Amino acid sequence: MKDALYALGKDAVDSLRDLLPIVLVIGVFQVFVVRQPVDDLFSLLSGGLLVVAGLACFIFGLRLALFPVGEGLAYSLAAKGSVFWLLAFAFVLGFGTTVAEPALIAVAAEASKVAAAASVIESTPEAIEGYAFGLRMTVALAVGIALVTGVFRILANWSLPMMIIGGYVLVILLTGLAPPEIVGVAYDSGGVTTSTVTVPLVTALGVGLASSVKGRNVMVDGFGLIAFASLTPILFVLIYGILAEWT
Amino acid sequence: MDLMINTLGFIAGSAIDVLPIAIFLFAFQRLVIRGPMPNRNQILLGFGFVVVGLGLFLVGLEQTLFPLGRLMAQQLTHPEFLLNGAVGTGSPLTWQDFYWVYVFAAAIGFSTTLAEPALIAVSMKANLVSAGAIGVWGLRVAVAIGVGIGVSLGCFRIITGLPLHYFIAAGYLVVVMQTIVAPKLIVPLAYDSGGVTTSTVTVPLVTALGLGLAEAVPGRSALLDGFGLVAFASLFPIITVLAYGQLAVIRERVSTSKTDHRDPEQEVDHAL
């Protein structure tokens, strides 16, 4: 009990450390550069506390539940050696963790509001929510497929740099075909997916796999999965944009 | 009262988000591994914390991080602020007039990255593995400089309205060329530092900053120009960390050329 409280407190300090530089920089700018009164200071400060409390609970919960189970499963499936179940698990892991990724929820919500304001989609709450949901599912699907590809690559021992560079060449080609309004969102979705939830679990999968397959380097192969997970969302969101334009 | 209902709504929403992964993990444990879930109560409690935490975070996000990013973008691009009150001089604004935006973007990118707990952990590990060749502070500062440059340059792109993919394509070209010449063992670390360092708190704030900028600068559309800051913030740390590795090689070369004739590249690889 005491240990758990200590761990929760440590997560709160970490979250506070994430927020503190933002508060400091914005504070300095408000006082010395902008020099204008800020409305709703109370609402901003209480919201900041909610961010810290929420992030602390979230990460504490992840450590208690998702990380041990995910890591345990990753290790036992890698040891079990069934390629089908390993690939299935990789897909589910990528898809499921990306759906619950807070940064992605945030960016998808903003993207849908902007799209509605520019009347790319209808300005009804249903249409906005539908667009945000579609975007999140597209990215989640992309990360799922990224992990399947990445795991398969570790098993088949394909060259990582060639695949990644090839992927980015494809990104540039698709950018030419995609409607311009999806390009920015697509590029951002690559960086968004690899944060709080996905990285630790994906690393566990890569490391578990690389250490149970002979002749694989733990450092290089564990990292390869993350590189795929930041590449495929760009591709998939671009394709999503191209398909949405056709229909 | 409104806040209460709002919060409960968000918590219910995040429960729906977390449910699929929870179900899948239990299903895999039962059907594939065919064993009971170890510490079931602890895991259920953990999922409870995840759901409540995600809900609270999203409320705070709507209430604070998004408005703050927008507010800063609006205030720093306000014509009165840019021209120091000399409104009506008639001269159109050029990208140089927005210099406080670049300073703010660089400061936010640099400071949030420097304080990022995940990066601190990675740096300590890299220091340990490299037997001191990669400094804890050196790596952290390299990544933070990268994110600062990235966000700042991203703001420049939004203000000028230049196409995003030119910058990204050029950036990855630089990365590919650096990869060829940089010491081999810094490469995975560098690639990793791209995505991992943009934290859950920074991403929403930076996104709101970009959208606010695109809305406030005349002639820009939020949809076409507002996104892309996160992509910049993930790309530039790769370049600066690779550069940090290259710098280490050069430093080594300078110091070894005075003493003896060992191969400096091999030396650093060995040290890493």
Side-chain angles (χ1 to χ4, degrees):
Chain A
M1 190 61 209
K2 213 173 164 189
D3 286 349
L5 277 179
Y6 175 78
L8 186 60
K10 199 181 162 297
D11 287 334
V13 171
D14 275 354
S15 312
L16 203 60
R17 196 148 58 174
D18 261 352
L19 194 67
L20 198 63
I22 295 177
V23 173
L24 282 179
V25 169
I26 291 182
V28 166
F29 266 74
Q30 289 295 340
V31 172
F32 293 104
V33 181
V34 178
R35 279 179 284 188
Q36 274 172 5
V38 176
D39 302 333
D40 287 337
L41 195 62
F42 175 74
S43 161
L44 286 179
L45 286 178
S46 62
L49 285 181
L50 281 180
V51 166
V52 170
L55 209 55
C57 286
F58 182 70
I59 293 174
F60 178 72
L62 285 183
R63 283 222 192 93
L64 218 53
L66 208 51
F67 292 168
V69 178
E71 281 171 21
L73 275 175
Y75 280 115
S76 24
L77 279 172
K80 205 164 178 263
S82 154
V83 174
F84 172 77
W85 282 115
L86 204 56
L87 293 181
F89 178 70
F91 181 82
V92 167
L93 195 68
F95 188 88
T97 52
T98 307
V99 169
E101 188 68 72
L104 178 64
I105 299 176
V107 169
E110 280 301 277
S112 59
K113 274 183 214 156
V114 169
S119 51
V120 170
I121 56 170
E122 281 176 61
S123 229
T124 59
E126 292 82 37
I128 293 177
E129 245 165 58
Y131 185 82
F133 186 76
L135 205 58
R136 278 172 57 200
M137 288 305 128
T138 308
V139 175
L141 191 69
V143 175
I145 290 179
L147 294 198
V148 171
T149 318
V151 166
F152 197 77
R153 185 203 71 84
I154 296 178
L155 297 174
N157 205 17
W158 290 340
S159 157
L160 177 70
M162 292 322 263
M163 292 180 82
I164 296 294
I165 291 170
Y168 278 105
V169 170
L170 207 57
V171 164
I172 300 294
L173 292 179
L174 281 177
T175 303
L177 297 174
E181 61 267 15
I182 201 82
V183 172
V185 182
Y187 281 40
D188 272 0
S189 61
V192 165
T193 50
T194 48
S195 68
T196 324
V197 195
T198 319
V199 171
L201 280 179
V202 167
T203 312
L205 179 66
V207 169
L209 198 57
S211 51
S212 62
V213 181
K214 260 188 196 157
R216 299 291 181 273
N217 185 318
V218 172
M219 192 174 172
V220 174
D221 291 323
F223 125 83
L225 292 177
I226 305 274
F228 275 114
S230 13
L231 169 67
T232 52
I234 311 182
L235 287 176
F236 274 58
V237 175
L238 286 175
I239 294 170
Y240 176 72
I242 295 172
L243 291 180
E245 204 183 29
W246 277 354
T247 48
Chain B
M1 201 57 216
D2 268 1
L3 185 68
M4 281 288 285
I5 294 170
N6 201 6
T7 309
L8 286 177
F10 271 108
I11 290 177
S14 60
I16 295 170
D17 288 332
V18 173
L19 205 58
I21 184 76
I23 291 174
F24 275 123
L25 286 182
F26 274 94
F28 263 97
Q29 187 72 34
R30 283 227 82 88
L31 300 177
V32 183
I33 304 293
R34 289 174 205 281
M37 188 65 91
N39 308 324
R40 208 175 58 186
N41 290 341
Q42 181 199 327
I43 284 159
L44 288 176
L45 182 72
F47 272 115
F49 265 101
V50 167
V51 168
V52 172
L54 187 57
L56 291 180
F57 174 77
L58 292 176
V59 176
L61 194 80
E62 293 259 302
Q63 203 180 323
T64 300
L65 290 180
F66 282 151
L68 260 186
R70 281 242 154 91
L71 179 78
M72 289 310 294
Q74 277 160 10
Q75 286 182 334
L76 291 174
T77 53
H78 201 272
E80 251 176 73
F81 169 76
L82 289 174
L83 302 168
N84 282 322
V87 182
T89 47
S91 61
L93 291 166
T94 58
W95 63 266
Q96 291 98 331
D97 292 326
F98 294 93
Y99 58 90
W100 276 119
V101 174
Y102 310 133
V103 176
F104 176 73
I108 280 285
F110 184 83
S111 62
T112 52
T113 310
L114 207 59
E116 170 66 33
L119 179 61
I120 298 172
V122 169
S123 310
M124 277 152 91
K125 202 164 203 175
N127 180 269
L128 212 68
V129 172
S130 68
I134 299 174
V136 174
W137 273 99
L139 187 66
R140 275 171 72 187
V141 170
V143 176
I145 289 175
V147 176
I149 294 175
V151 180
S152 197
L153 199 66
C155 288
F156 165 76
R157 187 202 69 83
I158 290 175
I159 286 167
T160 55
L162 294 167
L164 174 63
H165 57 278
Y166 288 7
F167 286 85
I168 301 291
Y172 277 106
L173 203 63
V174 172
V175 169
V176 169
M177 290 191 300
Q178 277 182 303
T179 305
I180 297 167
V181 291
K184 293 289 161 288
L185 278 159
I186 196 97
V187 173
L189 197 63
Y191 280 42
D192 229 5
S193 58
V196 180
T197 48
T198 41
S199 81
T200 312
V201 177
T202 315
V203 166
L205 182 86
V206 163
T207 304
L209 179 72
L211 291 174
L213 267 183
E215 280 162 8
V217 176
R220 296 287 159 273
S221 105
L223 192 61
L224 292 177
D225 305 301
F227 291 95
L229 287 183
V230 177
F232 272 77
S234 322
L235 169 61
F236 279 83
I238 308 182
I239 296 178
T240 50
V241 172
L242 284 173
Y244 174 69
Q246 288 172 293
L247 208 66
V249 175
I250 293 167
R251 247 192 344 228
E252 195 83 1
R253 193 165 287 162
V254 169
S255 62
T256 46
S257 65
K258 284 173 192 156
T259 50
D260 57 17
H261 294 286
R262 280 180 298 179
D263 180 14
E265 172 109 15
Q266 219 167 31
E267 189 86 343
V268 170
D269 264 359
H270 185 70
L272 290 171

